[in-house]
Each structure stands twice: as C-alpha cells, then as structure tokens.
Amino acid sequence: MILFKKITDLRNWLERQRKNGKSIGFVPTMGALYQGHLSLIETSKQKAAVTVCSIFVNPTQFNDPADFSKYPVTIEKDIELLAAAGTTALFLPDVPEIYPNGRPESKKYELGYLETVLDGSSRPGHFQGVCTVVERLLEIVAPDHLMLGQKDYQQCLVITRLLALMGNAGNGIQIHICPTLREENGLAMSSRNMRLNEADREKAALIHQSLLQIREELQPGELAPLKHKISGLLSSDGFQPDYVELANAKTLALVEVWDGKEELVALIAAFLSGVRLIDNMLVHKATE
Ligand code: PAF
C-alpha cells in the first residue's frame, strides 16, 4: 500500500493509474477503522482496479467541538488493517492540505429537506461539513466508484444529492451502499463503539433490537404510538433517545400515517453514557 500525504503526489499517481486504464474505487473515512470499513474496501476491490482510502477527521462536520476532540485516532492500527485488506493507496492529509485557506464558510450546499430532519436538525451544519469535505476529496481522487456504509443512511442520501449538485464532476461516480456490519449481539459496528465500556456495548444492542421490534410490530395507520413505545423502552433502559422515526426510504420524508405500501426505513439515534449511536433498518420494501 502506498501512503500519500500530499494532494499533488496522489493526483500524479492517480493520473498514471488512469493512463494505464485502471478504474478507481474510493473509500472515504475518518479512521478508527473496523470491520465495516474493511467491507467497503472489499466492495471497492470487486468494483475497481485500484482502491484509494482516505483517513481525515474532518473538523467542519462536527457541530460539537467536544465530539471532535474525543473522536478516536488509531492511525497505526488503521494502516495495518488497510494494508492487510489489500488497499492500493492511503491518502492521509493534514487539515491545511485539505483546507489551505482555513475553514471554507462561503459555499452552501442546497440539500433541501434532507438537511432539516433527523441528523440534519439534531446536528446543525453537520451535513454541510460532510459535503464540504466529500466534494474536496472527490475533486482530488475523481473516483469511478464511491463506497458508503448504510449505517449512515441519511449521509448516503446527502452524498447522492451532492453528486447531483456537482454536475459533470459527480456524474461519472457510481455510489455503492454497503450493508451495515454488526457485532454478534446485533450492535451496528461503529468507531464510536470504542468509547463504550463492555457493559454499555452489551446494552447498546438494544438499539438494533428496537429496530427489529419496529419491523415486527409495524402496522398500517398512525405510527406515533409505536415510535413512542420504542422511545419509552429505550429511555427506561438508560438511553437518551434523540429520535425514533419512520421515513420514506428514498426521500427520508417522515411518515406519520403509513398506508401499508410505502417503502419505509426506521431510524434511531440515542445517547448511551454520552456516546451518540445511530442505526437504521429497512422495515418495509415497496411492492409494485
Ligand atoms: O462517514 C464518515 O466517516 C464521514 O462522514 C466521511 C464520509 C468520511 C466524511 O468525512
């Protein structure tokens, strides 16, 4: 695996790959890698001739500075994992390399409704920050294939929108949304799990169980009673739920009354011992 810290070096190398007819797969990350990221690398290896992974803890997407400063950094282990997984190149820039003129404030991405719900409203500015860095990274890497994890469901929709906003630069990039990997107890794998103690890791599986319960108990009609019940159960088990929602799986429009046909995704965000955990599940697939 080749390690690049400078944009120019990475671009020159990518240029040579393209001249040799090689397609580029890209896995953007913030490091603290785990099996879920490695499954994205695996997908990239199947889709593209070369796989570039980036590790950059992006300051512009943290609306809470404390969350940024607590974000786990495990670079040496990450490098080992990526090399063992067969990653072709790692891009490891520092903040001035990505933002040479300081934090870019001026650009506003038109994310519309997507920015007003769920993590969009709970984490103001978060998705603007994600778009800022992802657009920058995509301009640098110009991949053919972009791998994203379903665990960040709303982020997948936001980045799909970003590609549309990027016009020609985004058109040629194919997104692949890879399934969420889970611990044995069902807990969605996440870099944030590193901040949970053993007892909380066990308890955190309740989020996945709640999603299964929603899928099980989902009935056409008013959805508020089911959402309140699940939220109440999480609270009584020591979580601070941020949201328990059901939404249209394509648009993320929140659904209050379900017709029994619309494709639905259930999404939960909840704090446990100060760590914000998110998970989601497609609970109903549309029937034609
Ligand atoms: O999902 C993440 O790790 C980040 O939001 C991303 C896409 C790498 C942008 O910083």
Side-chain angles (χ1 to χ4, degrees):
M1 183 173 76
I2 316 171
L3 173 67
F4 295 99
K5 293 194 169 180
K6 298 288 171 206
I7 294 170
T8 325
D9 298 335
L10 174 63
R11 277 201 175 125
N12 289 340
W13 178 80
L14 282 167
E15 199 48 47
R16 288 201 296 280
Q17 305 308 308
R18 280 190 207 97
K19 278 203 180 116
N20 290 335
K22 295 199 172 156
S23 56
I24 315 289
F26 181 42
V27 180
T29 81
M30 297 206 296
L33 302 181
Y34 57 90
Q35 210 53 39
H37 294 109
L38 301 181
S39 77
L40 303 190
I41 300 285
E42 210 39 59
T43 304
S44 176
K45 282 165 57 189
Q46 286 161 21
K47 304 284 173 197
V50 302
T51 289
V52 179
C53 175
S54 64
I55 296 181
F56 179 66
V57 185
N58 173 35
T60 68
Q61 72 187 75
F62 287 86
N63 53 309
D64 175 2
D67 204 19
F68 175 58
S69 59
K70 278 190 241 155
Y71 203 84
V73 176
T74 57
I75 291 295
E76 273 164 30
K77 184 170 158 245
D78 292 350
I79 292 176
E80 272 172 32
L81 286 172
L82 288 174
T87 312
T88 327
L90 168 61
F91 181 41
L92 189 61
D94 60 13
V95 173
E97 189 69 9
I98 293 294
Y99 301 125
N101 305 315
R103 189 188 166 126
E105 298 279 4
S106 52
K107 188 155 181 183
K108 171 99 176 80
Y109 297 86
E110 291 307 326
L111 301 176
Y113 174 77
L114 271 180
E115 205 179 7
T116 66
V117 286
L118 306 168
D119 284 6
S121 59
S122 298
R123 306 182 65 191
H126 167 66
F127 287 126
Q128 289 295 325
V130 168
C131 286
T132 305
V133 77
V134 173
E135 182 177 29
R136 178 99 175 103
L137 291 169
L138 292 178
E139 277 168 2
I140 296 165
V141 179
D144 303 286
H145 300 274
L146 173 65
M147 270 46 63
L148 300 172
Q150 193 202 312
K151 186 180 143 301
D152 297 302
Y153 196 90
Q154 190 168 8
Q155 173 169 278
C156 292
L157 296 186
V158 164
I159 294 178
T160 305
R161 169 104 186 106
L162 171 69
L163 294 195
L165 292 172
M166 284 170 65
N168 281 346
N171 281 344
I173 305 173
Q174 204 182 333
I175 291 189
H176 304 277
I177 297 176
C178 307
T180 305
L181 260 64
R182 300 186 177 281
E183 304 288 351
E184 255 173 49
N185 66 7
L187 170 65
M189 289 186 184
S190 164
S191 309
R192 285 167 189 257
N193 296 352
M194 291 179 192
R195 285 165 54 195
L196 296 173
N197 64 29
E198 203 144 317
D200 280 344
R201 267 179 181 236
E202 274 312 307
K203 193 187 253 194
L206 208 70
I207 296 182
H208 180 239
Q209 285 156 24
S210 302
L211 291 167
L212 291 170
Q213 189 172 350
I214 292 175
R215 190 174 68 183
E216 188 72 25
E217 296 184 14
L218 182 67
Q219 295 286 343
E222 291 276 353
L223 297 178
L226 179 56
K227 291 192 282 189
H228 290 150
K229 176 175 155 181
I230 298 296
S231 185
L233 288 172
L234 285 167
S235 300
S236 61
D237 269 298
F239 291 81
Q240 285 90 48
D242 183 356
Y243 55 75
V244 173
E245 279 299 350
L246 284 140
N248 179 292
K250 295 216 164 65
T251 63
L252 224 55
L254 301 184
V255 177
E256 300 302 333
V257 180
W258 185 48
D259 62 4
K261 294 188 198 124
E262 190 174 358
E263 196 158 356
L264 279 189
V265 57
L267 306 108
I268 295 180
F271 289 89
L272 181 62
S273 303
V275 181
R276 191 173 187 276
L277 302 168
I278 58 170
D279 201 355
N280 66 79
M281 184 182 284
L282 284 164
V283 288
H284 184 79
K285 290 216 169 87
T287 44
E288 296 314 317

